[in-house]
Amino acid sequence: MEIVKLDYSKAASIFGVSLEVAAIAGCREVVEEILSSFRGAIYLKNKSNQTIFHLAIVNRRENIFNLVYQFKEFSNLFISRVDITMNNGLHLAGRFKSQQKLNLRARAAGAALQMQLELQWFKEVENFTLVTARERKKDEEKTPRMLFTETHEELIKEGEQWMKDTSNSCTIVAAL
């Protein structure tokens, strides 16, 4: 309550770091508390020019991303905005890094189910992205969808193998 009484720039500098850490960690309660006490926090960006929604997308934090429903009138603008590397939210959703892979493995058993979660995540972010931003080319002239396909190739192959192994196991069990 005392921080809110400070001028905007001081309050923003104090809340900015806390908001960023909470968004990355997926602490929805902390994010909601900051947003409810300091409404301007929704506009805060980190050093990479990313909003809390960009951070939620990169770190696959659905509980933070779902706050977008509370800001529906601005949500397309927040997610379609580009960071300093010219990636919008959909580009960030299309990327698949090793840390995201580790987090995903903890949530879903089997590569096919992991791929399903990634595809659902991409489509959900796409729903909140402006139409012009969906086809925006970045990284060697790649659209977000092209980036998704390229970075998820390994997971697709693992999913195919997982499905084959599962079906073979089921066939053996059925035969026994």
Side-chain angles (χ1 to χ4, degrees):
M1 298 312 284
E2 292 300 315
I3 297 171
V4 176
K5 294 176 186 175
L6 299 172
D7 69 328
Y8 180 83
S9 61
K10 286 183 181 177
S13 67
I14 294 169
F15 280 134
V17 175
S18 303
L19 188 64
E20 182 178 354
V21 170
I24 290 169
C27 297
R28 183 183 173 113
E29 297 82 13
V30 174
V31 172
E32 284 180 326
E33 187 65 33
I34 292 172
L35 292 177
S36 67
S37 61
F38 184 62
R39 295 300 287 176
I42 193 70
Y43 301 104
L44 296 178
K45 294 176 262 181
N46 66 5
K47 293 175 187 172
S48 299
N49 202 33
Q50 295 176 330
T51 66
I52 59 168
F53 299 112
H54 288 113
L55 296 171
I57 291 167
V58 168
N59 295 290
R60 306 301 198 254
R61 302 293 187 196
E62 293 94 357
N63 57 346
I64 304 298
F65 183 78
N66 286 338
L67 292 171
V68 81
Y69 291 106
Q70 295 177 13
F71 300 95
K72 213 163 185 137
E73 64 275 5
F74 306 115
S75 61
N76 293 357
L77 298 174
F78 288 128
I79 295 168
S80 300
R81 182 180 288 157
V82 294
D83 61 12
I84 46 177
T85 59
M86 301 307 288
N87 287 314
N88 63 33
L90 199 54
H91 282 105
L92 298 173
R95 270 197 209 309
F96 192 58
K97 298 179 182 174
S98 57
Q99 182 60 40
Q100 294 163 332
K101 193 172 187 176
L102 291 173
N103 293 341
L104 187 60
R105 290 205 190 281
R107 290 183 29 225
L113 298 175
Q114 293 167 4
M115 185 61 194
Q116 180 184 17
L117 285 176
E118 279 293 296
L119 188 57
Q120 288 171 338
W121 179 248
F122 184 81
K123 290 199 176 282
E124 184 65 22
V125 174
E126 188 176 45
N127 289 336
F128 288 98
T129 307
L130 294 172
V131 176
T132 55
R134 290 179 191 172
E135 296 304 317
R136 180 180 168 82
K137 292 189 176 182
K138 165 67 173 89
D139 289 341
E140 302 162 9
E141 297 299 313
K142 293 180 186 150
T143 64
R145 190 168 295 280
M146 293 164 70
L147 191 60
F148 179 88
T149 303
E150 182 181 296
T151 59
H152 286 78
E153 281 179 358
E154 184 181 327
L155 188 59
I156 291 169
K157 289 176 186 172
E158 288 176 21
E160 289 174 0
Q161 186 62 43
W162 182 80
M163 292 292 281
K164 288 176 186 174
D165 293 346
T166 302
S167 66
N168 286 340
S169 297
C170 290
T171 303
I172 292 169
V173 170
L176 292 175

Coordinates of all heavy atoms in Angstrom, one line a residue, residues 2-63:
E2 N 2.0 1.2 0.7 CA 2.9 2.3 0.7 C 3.6 2.6 -0.7 O 3.8 3.7 -1.1 CB 4.0 2.2 1.8 CG 3.5 2.2 3.2 CD 2.8 3.5 3.5 OE1 3.3 4.6 3.2 OE2 1.7 3.4 4.1
I3 N 3.9 1.5 -1.4 CA 4.5 1.6 -2.7 C 3.6 2.3 -3.6 O 4.0 3.1 -4.5 CB 5.0 0.3 -3.2 CG1 6.0 -0.4 -2.3 CG2 5.5 0.4 -4.6 CD1 6.4 -1.8 -2.6
V4 N 2.3 2.0 -3.6 CA 1.3 2.6 -4.5 C 1.3 4.1 -4.3 O 1.0 4.9 -5.3 CB -0.1 2.0 -4.3 CG1 -1.1 2.6 -5.1 CG2 0.0 0.5 -4.5
K5 N 1.6 4.6 -3.1 CA 1.5 6.0 -2.9 C 2.7 6.8 -3.5 O 2.7 8.0 -3.6 CB 1.5 6.3 -1.3 CG 0.3 5.8 -0.7 CD 0.4 6.0 0.8 CE -0.8 5.3 1.5 NZ -0.7 5.4 3.0
L6 N 3.8 6.1 -3.9 CA 4.9 6.7 -4.5 C 4.6 7.2 -5.9 O 3.5 6.8 -6.5 CB 6.1 5.7 -4.6 CG 6.6 5.2 -3.2 CD1 7.6 4.1 -3.5 CD2 7.2 6.3 -2.4
D7 N 5.4 8.0 -6.5 CA 5.2 8.4 -7.9 C 5.3 7.2 -8.8 O 5.9 6.1 -8.5 CB 6.1 9.5 -8.3 CG 7.5 9.1 -8.5 OD1 7.9 8.2 -7.7 OD2 8.2 9.7 -9.3
Y8 N 4.7 7.3 -10.0 CA 4.6 6.1 -10.9 C 5.9 5.5 -11.2 O 6.0 4.2 -11.2 CB 3.9 6.6 -12.3 CG 3.8 5.5 -13.2 CD1 2.7 4.6 -13.2 CD2 4.7 5.2 -14.2 CE1 2.6 3.6 -14.0 CE2 4.6 4.2 -15.1 CZ 3.5 3.4 -15.0 OH 3.4 2.3 -15.9
S9 N 7.0 6.2 -11.5 CA 8.2 5.6 -11.9 C 8.9 4.8 -10.8 O 9.4 3.8 -11.0 CB 9.2 6.7 -12.4 OG 9.5 7.6 -11.4
K10 N 8.8 5.3 -9.5 CA 9.3 4.6 -8.4 C 8.5 3.3 -8.1 O 9.1 2.3 -7.9 CB 9.4 5.5 -7.2 CG 10.5 6.5 -7.2 CD 10.5 7.3 -5.9 CE 11.6 8.4 -6.0 NZ 11.6 9.2 -4.8
A11 N 7.2 3.4 -8.2 CA 6.4 2.3 -8.0 C 6.6 1.2 -9.1 O 6.7 0.0 -8.8 CB 4.9 2.7 -7.9
A12 N 6.7 1.7 -10.3 CA 6.9 0.8 -11.4 C 8.3 0.1 -11.3 O 8.4 -1.1 -11.6 CB 6.9 1.6 -12.7
S13 N 9.3 0.8 -10.8 CA 10.6 0.1 -10.7 C 10.6 -1.0 -9.6 O 11.2 -2.0 -9.7 CB 11.7 1.1 -10.4 OG 11.5 1.7 -9.2
I14 N 9.8 -0.7 -8.5 CA 9.7 -1.7 -7.4 C 8.8 -2.9 -7.8 O 9.2 -4.0 -7.6 CB 9.2 -1.0 -6.2 CG1 10.2 0.0 -5.6 CG2 8.8 -2.0 -5.1 CD1 9.6 0.9 -4.5
F15 N 7.7 -2.6 -8.4 CA 6.8 -3.6 -8.8 C 7.2 -4.4 -10.0 O 6.9 -5.6 -10.2 CB 5.4 -3.1 -9.0 CG 4.6 -2.8 -7.8 CD1 3.9 -1.6 -7.7 CD2 4.5 -3.7 -6.8 CE1 3.1 -1.4 -6.5 CE2 3.7 -3.5 -5.7 CZ 3.0 -2.3 -5.5
G16 N 8.0 -3.8 -10.9 CA 8.4 -4.4 -12.1 C 9.2 -5.7 -11.9 O 8.9 -6.7 -12.5
V17 N 10.1 -5.7 -11.1 CA 11.0 -6.9 -10.8 C 10.1 -8.0 -10.2 O 10.2 -9.1 -10.6 CB 12.2 -6.5 -9.9 CG1 12.9 -7.8 -9.5 CG2 13.1 -5.5 -10.6
S18 N 9.3 -7.6 -9.2 CA 8.4 -8.6 -8.5 C 7.4 -9.2 -9.5 O 7.2 -10.4 -9.5 CB 7.7 -7.9 -7.4 OG 8.6 -7.3 -6.5
L19 N 6.9 -8.3 -10.4 CA 5.9 -8.8 -11.3 C 6.6 -9.8 -12.3 O 6.0 -10.8 -12.7 CB 5.3 -7.6 -12.1 CG 4.1 -7.9 -13.0 CD1 2.9 -8.4 -12.2 CD2 3.7 -6.7 -13.7
E20 N 7.8 -9.4 -12.8 CA 8.5 -10.3 -13.7 C 8.8 -11.7 -13.1 O 8.6 -12.7 -13.7 CB 9.8 -9.6 -14.2 CG 10.6 -10.4 -15.2 CD 11.8 -9.7 -15.7 OE1 12.0 -8.5 -15.3 OE2 12.6 -10.3 -16.4
V21 N 9.3 -11.7 -11.9 CA 9.7 -12.9 -11.2 C 8.4 -13.8 -11.0 O 8.4 -15.0 -11.2 CB 10.4 -12.6 -9.9 CG1 10.6 -13.9 -9.1 CG2 11.8 -12.0 -10.2
A22 N 7.4 -13.1 -10.5 CA 6.1 -13.8 -10.3 C 5.5 -14.4 -11.6 O 5.0 -15.6 -11.6 CB 5.1 -12.9 -9.6
A23 N 5.6 -13.7 -12.7 CA 5.1 -14.2 -13.9 C 5.9 -15.4 -14.4 O 5.3 -16.4 -14.9 CB 5.1 -13.1 -15.0
I24 N 7.2 -15.3 -14.3 CA 8.1 -16.4 -14.8 C 7.8 -17.7 -13.9 O 7.8 -18.8 -14.4 CB 9.5 -16.0 -14.7 CG1 9.8 -14.9 -15.8 CG2 10.5 -17.2 -14.9 CD1 11.2 -14.3 -15.7
A25 N 7.7 -17.5 -12.6 CA 7.5 -18.6 -11.7 C 6.1 -19.1 -11.7 O 5.8 -20.2 -11.2 CB 7.9 -18.2 -10.3
G26 N 5.1 -18.4 -12.2 CA 3.7 -18.8 -12.3 C 3.0 -18.5 -11.0 O 2.0 -19.2 -10.7
C27 N 3.4 -17.5 -10.2 CA 2.7 -17.2 -9.0 C 1.5 -16.2 -9.3 O 1.7 -15.0 -9.2 CB 3.7 -16.5 -8.0 SG 5.0 -17.6 -7.5
R28 N 0.4 -16.8 -9.6 CA -0.7 -16.0 -10.0 C -1.2 -15.0 -8.9 O -1.6 -13.9 -9.2 CB -1.9 -16.9 -10.4 CG -3.1 -16.2 -10.9 CD -4.3 -17.1 -11.2 NE -5.4 -16.3 -11.6 CZ -6.0 -16.3 -12.8 NH1 -5.4 -16.9 -13.8 NH2 -7.1 -15.6 -13.0
E29 N -1.2 -15.5 -7.7 CA -1.6 -14.7 -6.5 C -0.8 -13.4 -6.4 O -1.4 -12.3 -6.2 CB -1.6 -15.4 -5.2 CG -2.5 -16.6 -5.1 CD -1.8 -17.9 -5.8 OE1 -0.6 -17.9 -6.1 OE2 -2.6 -18.8 -6.0
V30 N 0.5 -13.5 -6.6 CA 1.3 -12.3 -6.5 C 1.1 -11.4 -7.7 O 0.9 -10.1 -7.5 CB 2.8 -12.7 -6.5 CG1 3.7 -11.5 -6.5 CG2 3.1 -13.5 -5.3
V31 N 0.9 -11.9 -8.9 CA 0.7 -11.1 -10.1 C -0.7 -10.4 -9.9 O -0.8 -9.2 -10.1 CB 0.7 -12.0 -11.3 CG1 0.2 -11.2 -12.5 CG2 2.0 -12.5 -11.6
E32 N -1.7 -11.1 -9.4 CA -3.0 -10.5 -9.2 C -3.0 -9.4 -8.2 O -3.6 -8.4 -8.3 CB -4.1 -11.5 -8.9 CG -4.5 -12.4 -10.0 CD -5.5 -13.4 -9.6 OE1 -5.5 -14.0 -8.5 OE2 -6.4 -13.7 -10.5
E33 N -2.3 -9.6 -7.1 CA -2.2 -8.6 -6.0 C -1.5 -7.4 -6.5 O -2.0 -6.2 -6.3 CB -1.4 -9.2 -4.9 CG -1.4 -8.3 -3.6 CD -2.7 -8.1 -3.0 OE1 -3.6 -9.0 -3.1 OE2 -3.0 -7.0 -2.5
I34 N -0.4 -7.5 -7.3 CA 0.2 -6.3 -7.9 C -0.7 -5.6 -8.8 O -0.8 -4.4 -8.8 CB 1.6 -6.7 -8.6 CG1 2.6 -7.2 -7.5 CG2 2.1 -5.5 -9.4 CD1 3.8 -7.8 -8.1
L35 N -1.3 -6.3 -9.7 CA -2.2 -5.7 -10.7 C -3.4 -5.0 -10.0 O -3.9 -4.0 -10.5 CB -2.7 -6.7 -11.7 CG -1.7 -7.3 -12.7 CD1 -2.3 -8.3 -13.6 CD2 -1.0 -6.2 -13.5
S36 N -3.9 -5.6 -9.0 CA -5.1 -5.0 -8.3 C -4.7 -3.7 -7.5 O -5.5 -2.8 -7.4 CB -5.8 -6.0 -7.4 OG -5.0 -6.3 -6.3
S37 N -3.5 -3.7 -7.0 CA -3.1 -2.5 -6.2 C -2.4 -1.4 -7.0 O -2.5 -0.3 -6.7 CB -2.1 -2.9 -5.0 OG -1.0 -3.5 -5.6
F38 N -1.9 -1.8 -8.2 CA -1.2 -0.9 -9.1 C -1.6 -1.2 -10.5 O -1.0 -1.9 -11.2 CB 0.3 -1.0 -8.9 CG 1.2 0.0 -9.6 CD1 1.1 1.3 -9.4 CD2 2.1 -0.5 -10.6 CE1 1.8 2.2 -10.1 CE2 2.9 0.4 -11.3 CZ 2.8 1.8 -11.0
R39 N -2.7 -0.6 -10.9 CA -3.3 -0.9 -12.2 C -2.3 -0.6 -13.4 O -2.4 -1.3 -14.4 CB -4.6 -0.1 -12.5 CG -5.7 -0.4 -11.5 CD -6.2 -1.8 -11.6 NE -6.9 -2.1 -12.8 CZ -7.3 -3.3 -13.2 NH1 -7.1 -4.3 -12.4 NH2 -8.0 -3.5 -14.3
G40 N -1.4 0.3 -13.2 CA -0.4 0.6 -14.3 C 0.6 -0.5 -14.5 O 1.3 -0.5 -15.5
A41 N 0.6 -1.5 -13.6 CA 1.6 -2.6 -13.7 C 1.3 -3.4 -15.0 O 2.3 -4.1 -15.5 CB 1.5 -3.5 -12.5
I42 N 0.1 -3.4 -15.5 CA -0.2 -4.2 -16.7 C 0.6 -3.7 -17.9 O 0.9 -4.5 -18.8 CB -1.7 -4.2 -17.0 CG1 -2.0 -5.3 -18.0 CG2 -2.2 -2.9 -17.5 CD1 -1.9 -6.7 -17.5
Y43 N 1.1 -2.5 -17.9 CA 1.8 -1.9 -19.0 C 3.3 -2.1 -18.8 O 4.1 -1.7 -19.7 CB 1.5 -0.4 -19.1 CG 0.0 -0.2 -19.4 CD1 -0.8 0.3 -18.4 CD2 -0.5 -0.5 -20.6 CE1 -2.2 0.4 -18.6 CE2 -1.9 -0.3 -20.9 CZ -2.7 0.2 -19.9 OH -4.0 0.3 -20.1
L44 N 3.8 -2.6 -17.7 CA 5.2 -2.7 -17.4 C 5.8 -3.7 -18.3 O 5.2 -4.8 -18.7 CB 5.5 -3.1 -16.0 CG 5.0 -2.0 -14.9 CD1 5.3 -2.6 -13.5 CD2 5.7 -0.7 -15.1
K45 N 7.1 -3.4 -18.7 CA 7.8 -4.3 -19.6 C 9.2 -4.6 -19.0 O 9.7 -3.7 -18.3 CB 8.0 -3.8 -21.0 CG 6.6 -3.6 -21.7 CD 6.8 -3.0 -23.1 CE 6.5 -1.5 -22.9 NZ 6.5 -0.7 -24.0
N46 N 9.8 -5.7 -19.3 CA 11.2 -6.0 -18.8 C 12.2 -5.4 -19.7 O 11.9 -4.7 -20.7 CB 11.4 -7.5 -18.5 CG 11.3 -8.3 -19.8 OD1 11.2 -7.8 -20.9 ND2 11.4 -9.6 -19.6
K47 N 13.5 -5.7 -19.5 CA 14.6 -5.2 -20.3 C 14.4 -5.7 -21.8 O 14.9 -5.0 -22.7 CB 15.9 -5.7 -19.8 CG 16.2 -5.0 -18.4 CD 17.5 -5.6 -17.9 CE 17.7 -5.1 -16.5 NZ 18.9 -5.8 -15.8
S48 N 13.8 -6.8 -22.0 CA 13.6 -7.3 -23.4 C 12.3 -6.8 -24.0 O 11.9 -7.3 -25.0 CB 13.6 -8.8 -23.3 OG 14.8 -9.4 -22.8
N49 N 11.7 -5.8 -23.4 CA 10.5 -5.2 -23.9 C 9.3 -6.2 -23.9 O 8.4 -6.1 -24.7 CB 10.7 -4.6 -25.2 CG 9.6 -3.5 -25.6 OD1 9.2 -2.8 -24.7 ND2 9.3 -3.4 -26.8
Q50 N 9.3 -7.1 -22.9 CA 8.2 -8.2 -22.8 C 7.3 -7.8 -21.7 O 7.7 -7.5 -20.6 CB 8.8 -9.5 -22.6 CG 9.7 -10.0 -23.8 CD 10.3 -11.3 -23.6 OE1 10.7 -11.7 -22.4 NE2 10.6 -12.1 -24.6
T51 N 6.0 -8.0 -21.9 CA 5.0 -7.9 -20.9 C 4.9 -9.1 -20.1 O 5.5 -10.2 -20.4 CB 3.6 -7.5 -21.5 OG1 3.2 -8.7 -22.3 CG2 3.7 -6.3 -22.4
I52 N 4.0 -9.1 -19.1 CA 3.8 -10.4 -18.3 C 3.2 -11.5 -19.1 O 3.4 -12.6 -18.9 CB 3.0 -10.1 -17.0 CG1 1.6 -9.6 -17.4 CG2 3.7 -9.3 -16.0 CD1 0.6 -9.6 -16.2
F53 N 2.5 -11.1 -20.2 CA 1.9 -12.1 -21.0 C 2.9 -12.8 -21.9 O 2.9 -14.0 -22.1 CB 0.8 -11.5 -21.9 CG -0.4 -10.9 -21.1 CD1 -0.6 -9.6 -21.0 CD2 -1.1 -11.8 -20.3 CE1 -1.6 -9.1 -20.2 CE2 -2.1 -11.3 -19.5 CZ -2.4 -9.9 -19.4
H54 N 3.9 -12.0 -22.4 CA 5.0 -12.6 -23.1 C 5.8 -13.6 -22.2 O 6.2 -14.7 -22.6 CB 6.0 -11.5 -23.6 CG 5.5 -10.7 -24.7 ND1 5.2 -9.4 -24.6 CD2 5.2 -11.0 -26.0 CE1 4.7 -8.9 -25.7 NE2 4.7 -9.9 -26.6
L55 N 6.0 -13.2 -21.0 CA 6.7 -14.0 -20.0 C 6.0 -15.3 -19.7 O 6.5 -16.4 -19.6 CB 7.0 -13.3 -18.7 CG 8.0 -12.1 -18.8 CD1 8.0 -11.3 -17.5 CD2 9.3 -12.5 -19.3
A56 N 4.6 -15.2 -19.6 CA 3.8 -16.3 -19.4 C 3.8 -17.3 -20.6 O 3.9 -18.5 -20.5 CB 2.4 -15.9 -19.1
I57 N 3.9 -16.7 -21.8 CA 3.9 -17.5 -23.0 C 5.2 -18.3 -23.1 O 5.3 -19.5 -23.3 CB 3.7 -16.6 -24.3 CG1 2.3 -16.1 -24.3 CG2 4.0 -17.4 -25.5 CD1 2.0 -15.0 -25.3
V58 N 6.3 -17.6 -22.9 CA 7.7 -18.2 -23.0 C 7.8 -19.3 -22.0 O 8.3 -20.4 -22.3 CB 8.8 -17.2 -22.8 CG1 10.1 -17.8 -22.6 CG2 8.8 -16.2 -24.0
N59 N 7.3 -19.1 -20.8 CA 7.5 -20.1 -19.7 C 6.3 -21.0 -19.6 O 6.2 -21.8 -18.6 CB 7.7 -19.3 -18.4 CG 9.0 -18.6 -18.4 OD1 10.1 -19.2 -18.4 ND2 9.0 -17.3 -18.5
R60 N 5.4 -21.0 -20.5 CA 4.2 -21.9 -20.5 C 3.4 -21.9 -19.2 O 3.1 -22.9 -18.6 CB 4.6 -23.3 -20.9 CG 5.5 -23.5 -22.1 CD 4.7 -23.0 -23.4 NE 5.3 -23.5 -24.6 CZ 6.0 -22.8 -25.5 NH1 6.3 -21.5 -25.2 NH2 6.4 -23.3 -26.6
R61 N 3.1 -20.7 -18.7 CA 2.4 -20.5 -17.5 C 0.9 -20.1 -17.8 O 0.6 -18.9 -17.9 CB 3.0 -19.4 -16.6 CG 4.5 -19.6 -16.3 CD 4.6 -20.8 -15.4 NE 6.0 -20.9 -14.9 CZ 6.5 -22.0 -14.4 NH1 5.8 -23.0 -14.2 NH2 7.8 -22.0 -14.0
E62 N 0.1 -21.1 -17.9 CA -1.3 -20.9 -18.3 C -2.0 -20.1 -17.2 O -2.9 -19.3 -17.6 CB -2.0 -22.3 -18.4 CG -1.6 -23.1 -19.6 CD -0.5 -24.1 -19.2 OE1 -0.1 -24.1 -18.0 OE2 -0.1 -24.9 -20.1
N63 N -1.7 -20.3 -16.0 CA -2.4 -19.6 -14.9 C -2.1 -18.1 -15.0 O -3.0 -17.3 -14.7 CB -2.0 -20.1 -13.5 CG -0.5 -20.1 -13.2 OD1 0.3 -19.9 -14.1 ND2 -0.1 -20.3 -12.0

